[in-house]
Amino acid sequence: MIERNITKIAENVYWVGARDWNRRLFDALISLPKGTAYNAYLIMSRNGKALIDTVNPGFEKELEEKIRSLTSPEEIDYVIMNHAEPDHAGAIPHMLRVAPKAKLVTTSRGEKMARVFYNVPQERIKVVGENETISLGDKTLRFIEAPMLHWPETMFTYLEEDKILFPCDFFGSHLAGGVYSDEVEDLLVHAQRYWGEIMMPFRAMAQKALQKIANLEVRIIAPSHGPIHRKPELILNAYNRWAAGETRPKATIAYVSMWNSTDAIVRQMAETLATEGIELAFHNLAMTDVGDLAKDLVDSRAIVLGAPTVLGGAHPLAVYTTYLFKALRPPTRFAVLLSSYGWGGGAIKHIQELLGQFKIEVVGTLEINGPPTEENMRQIVNIGRALAKKIREEA
Ligand code: FEO
Protein backbone atom coordinates (compact mmCIF):
# COMPACT_ATOMS: atom_id res chain seq x y z
CA MET A 1 0.00 0.00 0.00
CA ILE A 2 1.17 3.55 -0.72
CA GLU A 3 2.39 5.31 2.39
CA ARG A 4 -0.21 7.66 3.79
CA ASN A 5 0.32 10.27 6.48
CA ILE A 6 -1.72 9.64 9.62
CA THR A 7 -1.20 11.09 13.09
CA LYS A 8 -1.88 9.39 16.39
CA ILE A 9 -3.28 12.08 18.69
CA ALA A 10 -4.12 9.77 21.62
CA GLU A 11 -4.22 6.04 22.30
CA ASN A 12 -6.36 4.56 19.50
CA VAL A 13 -7.34 8.00 18.20
CA TYR A 14 -5.96 8.94 14.79
CA TRP A 15 -6.06 11.91 12.44
CA VAL A 16 -6.93 10.46 9.03
CA GLY A 17 -7.81 13.67 7.18
CA ALA A 18 -6.57 15.26 3.97
CA ARG A 19 -4.45 18.30 3.23
CA ASP A 20 -5.67 20.45 0.34
CA TRP A 21 -2.49 22.42 -0.37
CA ASN A 22 -3.75 23.97 -3.61
CA ARG A 23 -7.21 25.15 -2.63
CA ARG A 24 -7.46 28.92 -2.92
CA LEU A 25 -11.18 29.68 -2.68
CA PHE A 26 -13.97 28.62 -0.34
CA ASP A 27 -17.70 29.24 -0.83
CA ALA A 28 -16.70 31.32 -3.90
CA LEU A 29 -16.00 34.05 -1.34
CA ILE A 30 -13.19 33.30 1.08
CA SER A 31 -9.62 33.18 -0.15
CA LEU A 32 -7.36 30.48 1.28
CA PRO A 33 -3.78 31.73 0.91
CA LYS A 34 -2.43 28.69 2.78
CA GLY A 35 -4.90 26.08 1.48
CA THR A 36 -6.81 24.10 4.08
CA ALA A 37 -7.06 20.69 5.71
CA TYR A 38 -10.17 18.51 6.09
CA ASN A 39 -9.61 16.79 9.41
CA ALA A 40 -11.25 13.43 10.00
CA TYR A 41 -10.54 11.27 13.05
CA LEU A 42 -10.75 7.52 13.56
CA ILE A 43 -11.47 6.24 17.06
CA MET A 44 -10.85 2.55 17.67
CA SER A 45 -12.06 0.92 20.82
CA ARG A 46 -12.61 -2.56 22.23
CA ASN A 47 -16.21 -2.87 21.12
CA GLY A 48 -16.54 -0.34 18.37
CA LYS A 49 -14.99 2.05 15.89
CA ALA A 50 -16.13 5.52 14.90
CA LEU A 51 -15.08 7.97 12.23
CA ILE A 52 -15.55 11.61 13.16
CA ASP A 53 -16.37 13.70 10.08
CA THR A 54 -15.08 12.93 6.60
CA VAL A 55 -13.38 15.00 3.88
CA ASN A 56 -14.11 17.19 0.87
CA PRO A 57 -15.31 15.43 -2.30
CA GLY A 58 -12.25 14.37 -4.29
CA PHE A 59 -10.39 13.07 -1.22
CA GLU A 60 -12.57 10.00 -0.55
CA LYS A 61 -9.95 7.45 -1.64
CA GLU A 62 -7.26 9.15 0.42
CA LEU A 63 -9.49 8.94 3.50
CA GLU A 64 -10.33 5.31 2.78
CA GLU A 65 -6.67 4.36 2.33
CA LYS A 66 -5.71 6.03 5.60
CA ILE A 67 -8.45 4.15 7.41
CA ARG A 68 -7.39 0.88 5.74
CA SER A 69 -3.86 1.33 7.03
CA LEU A 70 -5.34 1.10 10.56
CA THR A 71 -8.39 -1.12 10.21
CA SER A 72 -10.90 -2.46 7.74
CA PRO A 73 -13.65 0.11 6.99
CA GLU A 74 -16.15 -2.77 7.27
CA GLU A 75 -15.51 -2.63 11.02
CA ILE A 76 -16.60 0.98 11.41
CA ASP A 77 -19.79 1.20 13.49
CA TYR A 78 -20.44 4.94 13.35
CA VAL A 79 -19.70 7.85 11.04
CA ILE A 80 -20.23 10.98 13.11
CA MET A 81 -21.49 13.95 11.12
CA ASN A 82 -20.75 16.95 13.32
CA HIS A 83 -21.63 19.22 10.38
CA ALA A 84 -23.30 18.62 7.02
CA GLU A 85 -21.28 21.02 4.85
CA PRO A 86 -19.66 19.12 1.97
CA ASP A 87 -16.06 19.87 2.99
CA HIS A 88 -16.63 17.47 5.91
CA ALA A 89 -19.64 15.46 4.87
CA GLY A 90 -18.96 15.19 1.12
CA ALA A 91 -17.31 11.77 1.51
CA ILE A 92 -20.18 10.34 3.57
CA PRO A 93 -21.80 8.49 0.62
CA HIS A 94 -18.44 6.84 -0.15
CA MET A 95 -17.77 5.97 3.49
CA LEU A 96 -21.23 4.48 3.99
CA ARG A 97 -20.59 2.31 0.92
CA VAL A 98 -17.25 0.96 2.16
CA ALA A 99 -18.48 0.75 5.77
CA PRO A 100 -21.74 -1.14 5.22
CA LYS A 101 -22.63 -1.60 8.88
CA ALA A 102 -21.90 2.01 9.88
CA LYS A 103 -24.69 4.28 11.09
CA LEU A 104 -24.53 7.99 10.40
CA VAL A 105 -24.77 9.91 13.68
CA THR A 106 -26.19 13.41 13.55
CA THR A 107 -28.54 15.89 15.22
CA SER A 108 -32.24 16.02 14.43
CA ARG A 109 -31.58 18.97 12.11
CA GLY A 110 -28.73 17.07 10.47
CA GLU A 111 -30.98 14.12 9.70
CA LYS A 112 -32.85 15.97 6.95
CA MET A 113 -29.61 17.38 5.55
CA ALA A 114 -28.10 13.89 5.38
CA ARG A 115 -31.05 12.74 3.30
CA VAL A 116 -31.26 15.86 1.10
CA PHE A 117 -27.52 16.39 0.48
CA TYR A 118 -26.21 12.83 0.59
CA ASN A 119 -29.19 10.50 0.00
CA VAL A 120 -28.52 8.66 3.23
CA PRO A 121 -31.36 6.15 3.81
CA GLN A 122 -33.38 6.75 6.95
CA GLU A 123 -32.50 3.37 8.42
CA ARG A 124 -28.82 4.21 8.40
CA ILE A 125 -29.23 7.44 10.40
CA LYS A 126 -28.97 7.58 14.18
CA VAL A 127 -30.19 10.87 15.62
CA VAL A 128 -28.57 11.98 18.87
CA GLY A 129 -29.68 14.69 21.27
CA GLU A 130 -27.95 16.99 23.70
CA ASN A 131 -25.55 15.10 26.00
CA GLU A 132 -26.51 11.72 24.56
CA THR A 133 -23.68 9.20 24.55
CA ILE A 134 -22.53 6.28 22.45
CA SER A 135 -20.27 3.71 24.08
CA LEU A 136 -17.59 2.04 21.99
CA GLY A 137 -16.47 -0.12 24.90
CA ASP A 138 -13.59 1.62 26.59
CA LYS A 139 -14.30 4.92 24.80
CA THR A 140 -17.45 7.01 25.11
CA LEU A 141 -18.67 9.67 22.72
CA ARG A 142 -20.80 12.49 24.10
CA PHE A 143 -22.65 14.84 21.78
CA ILE A 144 -23.10 18.54 22.45
CA GLU A 145 -25.42 20.55 20.26
CA ALA A 146 -23.83 23.73 18.90
CA PRO A 147 -26.43 25.18 16.53
CA MET A 148 -25.44 27.88 14.03
CA LEU A 149 -21.72 27.30 14.37
CA HIS A 150 -22.09 27.85 11.60
CA TRP A 151 -25.02 25.83 10.22
CA PRO A 152 -28.22 24.90 12.09
CA GLU A 153 -27.31 21.22 12.52
CA THR A 154 -23.79 21.63 13.94
CA MET A 155 -22.71 19.69 17.03
CA PHE A 156 -19.52 18.91 18.94
CA THR A 157 -18.39 15.40 19.86
CA TYR A 158 -16.52 14.88 23.14
CA LEU A 159 -14.45 11.76 23.73
CA GLU A 160 -14.83 11.36 27.47
CA GLU A 161 -11.95 9.06 28.42
CA ASP A 162 -9.33 10.99 26.44
CA LYS A 163 -10.94 14.41 27.06
CA ILE A 164 -10.78 15.32 23.37
CA LEU A 165 -13.27 17.78 21.92
CA PHE A 166 -14.10 17.44 18.22
CA PRO A 167 -15.91 20.73 17.43
CA CYS A 168 -15.80 20.51 13.61
CA ASP A 169 -15.46 24.06 12.17
CA PHE A 170 -15.30 25.82 15.56
CA PHE A 171 -11.70 26.56 16.67
CA GLY A 172 -10.46 25.87 13.13
CA SER A 173 -8.11 27.67 10.78
CA HIS A 174 -7.59 27.42 7.06
CA LEU A 175 -4.08 26.01 6.98
CA ALA A 176 -3.07 22.98 4.94
CA GLY A 177 0.13 22.56 6.93
CA GLY A 178 0.80 22.19 10.65
CA VAL A 179 -0.10 19.32 12.95
CA TYR A 180 -0.28 21.01 16.36
CA SER A 181 -1.20 24.66 16.81
CA ASP A 182 1.54 25.33 19.37
CA GLU A 183 4.07 24.59 16.62
CA VAL A 184 2.54 27.12 14.20
CA GLU A 185 4.08 30.55 14.76
CA ASP A 186 1.24 32.67 13.35
CA LEU A 187 -1.63 30.37 14.32
CA LEU A 188 -3.70 33.08 15.98
CA VAL A 189 -3.48 35.32 12.91
CA HIS A 190 -4.98 32.55 10.79
CA ALA A 191 -7.50 31.60 13.49
CA GLN A 192 -8.62 35.24 13.77
CA ARG A 193 -9.06 35.49 10.01
CA TYR A 194 -11.11 32.27 10.04
CA TRP A 195 -13.21 33.53 12.95
CA GLY A 196 -13.88 36.79 11.11
CA GLU A 197 -14.92 35.04 7.93
CA ILE A 198 -16.97 32.20 9.36
CA MET A 199 -17.89 32.51 13.05
CA MET A 200 -18.12 36.27 13.72
CA PRO A 201 -21.71 36.57 12.40
CA PHE A 202 -22.74 34.03 15.06
CA ARG A 203 -21.12 35.53 18.15
CA ALA A 204 -24.16 34.99 20.38
CA MET A 205 -24.30 31.30 19.50
CA ALA A 206 -20.56 31.04 19.97
CA GLN A 207 -20.87 32.46 23.48
CA LYS A 208 -23.54 29.89 24.30
CA ALA A 209 -21.35 27.06 23.03
CA LEU A 210 -18.33 28.36 24.96
CA GLN A 211 -20.43 28.45 28.14
CA LYS A 212 -21.54 24.87 27.52
CA ILE A 213 -17.98 23.61 27.30
CA ALA A 214 -16.57 25.90 30.02
CA ASN A 215 -16.80 23.17 32.67
CA LEU A 216 -15.72 20.37 30.40
CA GLU A 217 -12.23 19.08 30.98
CA VAL A 218 -10.62 19.42 27.57
CA ARG A 219 -7.11 18.14 26.99
CA ILE A 220 -7.14 18.40 23.21
CA ILE A 221 -9.33 20.32 20.76
CA ALA A 222 -9.34 18.59 17.41
CA PRO A 223 -11.12 20.82 14.86
CA SER A 224 -12.02 19.94 11.29
CA HIS A 225 -9.72 22.53 9.67
CA GLY A 226 -6.13 23.35 10.51
CA PRO A 227 -3.87 22.33 13.36
CA ILE A 228 -4.95 20.45 16.49
CA HIS A 229 -4.85 22.29 19.81
CA ARG A 230 -3.07 20.22 22.46
CA LYS A 231 -2.69 23.40 24.54
CA PRO A 232 -6.33 24.48 24.28
CA GLU A 233 -6.06 27.59 26.51
CA LEU A 234 -4.60 29.70 23.70
CA ILE A 235 -7.49 29.23 21.28
CA LEU A 236 -10.11 29.12 24.06
CA ASN A 237 -8.93 32.48 25.41
CA ALA A 238 -8.98 33.99 21.92
CA TYR A 239 -12.47 32.63 21.20
CA ASN A 240 -13.77 33.96 24.52
CA ARG A 241 -12.43 37.43 23.62
CA TRP A 242 -13.76 37.37 20.06
CA ALA A 243 -17.17 35.96 20.98
CA ALA A 244 -17.56 38.64 23.67
CA GLY A 245 -16.83 41.28 21.02
CA GLU A 246 -13.75 42.64 22.78
CA THR A 247 -12.12 45.31 20.64
CA ARG A 248 -8.80 47.13 20.70
CA PRO A 249 -8.02 50.84 20.26
CA LYS A 250 -7.86 50.14 16.55
CA ALA A 251 -9.45 51.51 13.39
CA THR A 252 -9.84 49.66 10.12
CA ILE A 253 -9.65 51.92 7.10
CA ALA A 254 -11.41 50.45 4.06
CA TYR A 255 -11.53 52.68 1.02
CA VAL A 256 -11.47 52.96 -2.75
CA SER A 257 -10.33 55.93 -4.81
CA MET A 258 -10.50 56.68 -8.55
CA TRP A 259 -8.43 59.86 -8.99
CA ASN A 260 -6.69 60.08 -5.61
CA SER A 261 -9.00 62.59 -3.93
CA THR A 262 -10.66 60.06 -1.61
CA ASP A 263 -7.18 58.58 -1.22
CA ALA A 264 -5.81 61.94 -0.03
CA ILE A 265 -8.44 62.46 2.70
CA VAL A 266 -8.22 58.83 3.81
CA ARG A 267 -4.44 59.16 4.14
CA GLN A 268 -4.82 62.31 6.21
CA MET A 269 -7.27 60.43 8.44
CA ALA A 270 -4.65 57.68 8.85
CA GLU A 271 -2.00 60.30 9.76
CA THR A 272 -4.25 61.87 12.37
CA LEU A 273 -5.34 58.57 13.93
CA ALA A 274 -1.72 57.39 14.06
CA THR A 275 -0.71 60.66 15.74
CA GLU A 276 -3.47 60.05 18.27
CA GLY A 277 -1.98 56.63 19.03
CA ILE A 278 -4.70 54.56 17.35
CA GLU A 279 -3.66 51.23 15.86
CA LEU A 280 -4.48 51.10 12.14
CA ALA A 281 -5.34 48.50 9.54
CA PHE A 282 -5.31 49.94 6.02
CA HIS A 283 -7.24 48.29 3.17
CA ASN A 284 -7.41 49.64 -0.35
CA LEU A 285 -10.48 47.78 -1.58
CA ALA A 286 -9.16 47.64 -5.15
CA MET A 287 -6.44 45.26 -4.05
CA THR A 288 -7.10 44.00 -0.53
CA ASP A 289 -7.99 40.46 0.47
CA VAL A 290 -11.46 40.07 1.96
CA GLY A 291 -10.14 37.60 4.54
CA ASP A 292 -7.56 40.12 5.78
CA LEU A 293 -10.30 42.71 6.08
CA ALA A 294 -12.51 40.26 8.01
CA LYS A 295 -9.56 39.51 10.33
CA ASP A 296 -9.09 43.20 11.12
CA LEU A 297 -12.79 43.73 11.77
CA VAL A 298 -12.72 41.09 14.53
CA ASP A 299 -11.08 43.46 17.02
CA SER A 300 -11.39 46.95 15.49
CA ARG A 301 -13.29 49.52 17.51
CA ALA A 302 -13.87 51.75 14.47
CA ILE A 303 -14.14 51.66 10.71
CA VAL A 304 -13.31 54.46 8.28
CA LEU A 305 -15.10 53.89 4.97
CA GLY A 306 -13.95 55.95 2.00
CA ALA A 307 -15.57 55.93 -1.44
CA PRO A 308 -16.03 58.27 -4.37
CA THR A 309 -19.36 58.76 -6.08
CA VAL A 310 -19.51 56.98 -9.43
CA LEU A 311 -22.48 56.10 -11.62
CA GLY A 312 -24.82 57.90 -9.27
CA GLY A 313 -23.86 56.17 -6.02
CA ALA A 314 -21.01 54.87 -3.89
CA HIS A 315 -18.27 53.04 -5.80
CA PRO A 316 -19.37 49.37 -6.27
CA LEU A 317 -16.39 48.11 -4.25
CA ALA A 318 -17.55 50.18 -1.29
CA VAL A 319 -21.13 48.95 -1.79
CA TYR A 320 -19.88 45.35 -1.67
CA THR A 321 -17.75 46.06 1.39
CA THR A 322 -20.59 47.78 3.25
CA TYR A 323 -22.83 44.80 2.53
CA LEU A 324 -20.15 42.37 3.71
CA PHE A 325 -19.46 44.49 6.80
CA LYS A 326 -23.10 44.24 7.83
CA ALA A 327 -23.28 40.53 7.07
CA LEU A 328 -20.16 39.72 9.11
CA ARG A 329 -21.62 41.62 12.09
CA PRO A 330 -18.35 42.76 13.64
CA PRO A 331 -18.30 44.41 17.08
CA THR A 332 -17.23 47.76 15.53
CA ARG A 333 -18.65 50.66 17.57
CA PHE A 334 -17.79 53.77 15.52
CA ALA A 335 -17.65 54.80 11.87
CA VAL A 336 -16.39 57.71 9.80
CA LEU A 337 -17.52 58.07 6.19
CA LEU A 338 -15.40 59.98 3.67
CA SER A 339 -15.99 60.71 0.01
CA SER A 340 -15.05 62.82 -2.98
CA TYR A 341 -17.08 63.46 -6.12
CA GLY A 342 -16.49 64.99 -9.54
CA TRP A 343 -19.77 66.69 -10.40
CA GLY A 344 -22.47 65.13 -8.22
CA GLY A 345 -22.21 63.56 -4.77
CA GLY A 346 -24.26 60.93 -3.01
CA ALA A 347 -21.80 58.21 -1.94
CA ILE A 348 -22.11 58.93 1.77
CA LYS A 349 -25.90 58.99 1.66
CA HIS A 350 -25.79 55.72 -0.28
CA ILE A 351 -23.50 54.05 2.31
CA GLN A 352 -25.67 55.31 5.16
CA GLU A 353 -28.72 53.81 3.43
CA LEU A 354 -26.86 50.53 3.03
CA LEU A 355 -25.87 50.53 6.73
CA GLY A 356 -29.56 50.99 7.55
CA GLN A 357 -30.32 49.97 11.12
CA PHE A 358 -26.85 48.51 11.76
CA LYS A 359 -25.91 49.56 15.28
CA ILE A 360 -22.91 51.82 14.84
CA GLU A 361 -22.23 55.44 15.80
CA VAL A 362 -21.22 57.59 12.83
CA VAL A 363 -18.77 60.02 14.42
CA GLY A 364 -18.25 62.17 11.33
CA THR A 365 -18.70 62.40 7.57
CA LEU A 366 -17.03 64.52 4.91
CA GLU A 367 -17.96 64.66 1.25
CA ILE A 368 -15.78 66.94 -0.88
CA ASN A 369 -15.84 68.09 -4.50
CA GLY A 370 -12.61 67.11 -6.27
CA PRO A 371 -9.22 67.14 -4.54
CA PRO A 372 -9.17 68.26 -0.89
CA THR A 373 -8.45 71.86 0.04
CA GLU A 374 -6.44 72.85 3.11
CA GLU A 375 -9.73 73.54 4.86
CA ASN A 376 -10.88 69.98 4.01
CA MET A 377 -7.68 68.60 5.54
CA ARG A 378 -8.33 70.56 8.73
CA GLN A 379 -11.85 69.12 8.79
CA ILE A 380 -10.39 65.62 8.48
CA VAL A 381 -7.99 66.28 11.37
CA ASN A 382 -10.91 67.38 13.53
CA ILE A 383 -13.00 64.33 12.64
CA GLY A 384 -9.97 62.08 13.24
CA ARG A 385 -9.35 63.57 16.67
CA ALA A 386 -13.03 63.14 17.58
CA LEU A 387 -12.92 59.53 16.44
CA ALA A 388 -9.71 58.86 18.39
CA LYS A 389 -11.33 60.31 21.53
CA LYS A 390 -14.33 58.00 21.12
CA ILE A 391 -12.06 55.01 20.56
CA ARG A 392 -10.02 55.76 23.68
CA GLU A 393 -13.07 56.46 25.86
CA GLU A 394 -14.59 53.12 24.92
CA ALA A 395 -11.69 51.22 26.50
FE1 FEO B 1 -15.65 23.49 7.12
FE2 FEO B 1 -18.70 24.70 7.50
O1 FEO B 1 -17.45 23.57 6.81
Side-chain angles (χ1 to χ4, degrees):
M1 190 185 287
I2 302 167
E3 184 179 52
R4 286 295 188 187
N5 170 241
I6 56 175
T7 303
K8 181 178 173 178
I9 64 169
E11 200 56 37
N12 288 323
V13 182
Y14 297 90
W15 176 88
V16 290
R19 298 186 188 280
D20 198 346
W21 302 98
N22 287 329
R23 187 158 184 176
R24 286 295 175 269
L25 194 61
F26 202 92
D27 290 346
L29 177 65
I30 296 166
S31 68
L32 306 178
K34 304 282 185 186
T36 194
Y38 316 113
N39 298 335
Y41 302 91
L42 184 67
I43 299 172
M44 304 204 290
S45 184
R46 204 172 45 234
N47 297 331
K49 297 186 170 79
L51 177 68
I52 300 197
D53 295 315
T54 69
V55 291
N56 201 79
F59 292 87
E60 297 91 340
K61 289 304 283 181
E62 188 173 327
L63 173 65
E64 183 189 338
E65 284 169 16
K66 287 182 181 184
I67 292 168
R68 281 194 190 282
S69 71
L70 294 162
T71 187
S72 164
E74 288 80 14
E75 292 186 14
I76 293 175
D77 301 277
Y78 301 102
V79 175
I80 313 296
M81 186 178 79
N82 278 329
H83 177 26
E85 198 166 10
D87 51 329
H88 312 292
I92 280 175
H94 180 82
M95 284 315 303
L96 292 185
R97 267 195 303 278
V98 299
K101 73 169 178 178
K103 290 260 189 195
L104 186 79
V105 179
T106 180
T107 58
S108 54
R109 287 176 174 134
E111 179 188 13
K112 185 176 172 211
M113 288 183 173
R115 286 190 276 113
V116 169
F117 280 72
Y118 307 113
N119 287 315
V120 180
Q122 189 70 51
E123 63 273 17
R124 292 200 66 183
I125 299 176
K126 179 177 171 57
V127 172
V128 288
E130 178 75 351
N131 270 321
E132 204 168 309
T133 57
I134 289 179
S135 174
L136 303 174
D138 53 354
K139 292 197 191 283
T140 313
L141 303 175
R142 180 177 294 279
F143 304 100
I144 301 163
E145 291 187 356
M148 297 315 301
L149 295 177
H150 61 126
W151 279 20
E153 84 299 353
T154 39
M155 69 173 183
F156 301 164
T157 300
Y158 179 62
L159 177 52
E160 292 190 338
E161 290 76 6
D162 299 276
K163 306 189 190 326
I164 304 176
L165 184 70
F166 300 94
C168 202
D169 279 341
F170 211 55
F171 301 117
S173 51
H174 281 309
L175 287 169
V179 177
Y180 292 108
S181 59
D182 52 289
E183 297 169 342
V184 178
E185 194 182 356
D186 54 354
L187 186 275
L188 275 187
V189 174
H190 292 283
Q192 181 170 334
R193 177 187 170 103
Y194 177 100
W195 167 274
E197 292 165 328
I198 299 162
M199 297 297 167
M200 188 161 65
F202 307 104
R203 278 192 288 129
M205 302 310 286
Q207 278 188 296
K208 281 190 185 154
L210 288 166
Q211 279 161 12
K212 270 192 193 182
I213 61 170
N215 294 323
L216 211 58
E217 195 181 340
V218 177
R219 201 169 61 79
I220 295 174
I221 296 177
S224 60
H225 293 291
I228 295 161
H229 309 286
R230 61 185 171 186
K231 295 179 181 169
E233 320 76 57
L234 189 69
I235 194 71
L236 276 169
N237 289 342
Y239 263 52
N240 275 307
R241 281 198 311 276
W242 297 335
E246 280 185 26
T247 57
R248 297 151 56 87
K250 170 179 169 183
T252 289
I253 294 178
Y255 81 104
V256 55
S257 187
M258 294 164 67
W259 291 103
N260 295 327
S261 299
T262 305
D263 185 275
I265 51 178
V266 159
R267 281 177 191 280
Q268 180 55 57
M269 177 58 70
E271 289 289 309
T272 300
L273 291 174
T275 302
E276 294 289 320
I278 304 300
E279 182 184 336
L280 292 177
F282 199 84
H283 294 274
N284 182 335
L285 299 173
M287 58 185 83
T288 201
D289 178 285
V290 167
D292 280 341
L293 179 60
K295 174 184 75 68
D296 282 319
L297 291 175
V298 170
D299 56 5
S300 283
R301 204 163 291 162
I303 185 167
V304 176
L305 268 168
T309 295
V310 61
L311 304 172
H315 191 287
L317 284 175
V319 172
Y320 171 71
T321 301
T322 308
Y323 176 84
L324 199 63
F325 175 76
K326 274 181 71 179
L328 292 175
R329 293 185 230 166
T332 321
R333 294 277 295 110
F334 307 109
V336 160
L337 309 178
L338 305 176
S339 179
S340 166
Y341 63 90
W343 60 91
I348 286 183
K349 184 166 171 281
H350 190 189
I351 289 173
Q352 282 175 319
E353 284 167 3
L354 292 169
L355 282 172
Q357 300 302 309
F358 190 82
K359 205 173 154 217
I360 194 162
E361 182 182 341
V362 178
V363 176
T365 65
L366 185 67
E367 187 164 40
I368 62 172
N369 183 201
T373 61
E374 276 190 32
E375 172 56 19
N376 293 147
M377 290 307 212
R378 277 193 290 276
Q379 289 171 298
I380 289 288
V381 170
N382 287 336
I383 295 171
R385 286 177 181 164
L387 178 60
K389 187 164 179 285
K390 289 274 187 186
I391 290 173
R392 280 194 300 266
E393 283 172 356
E394 188 70 11

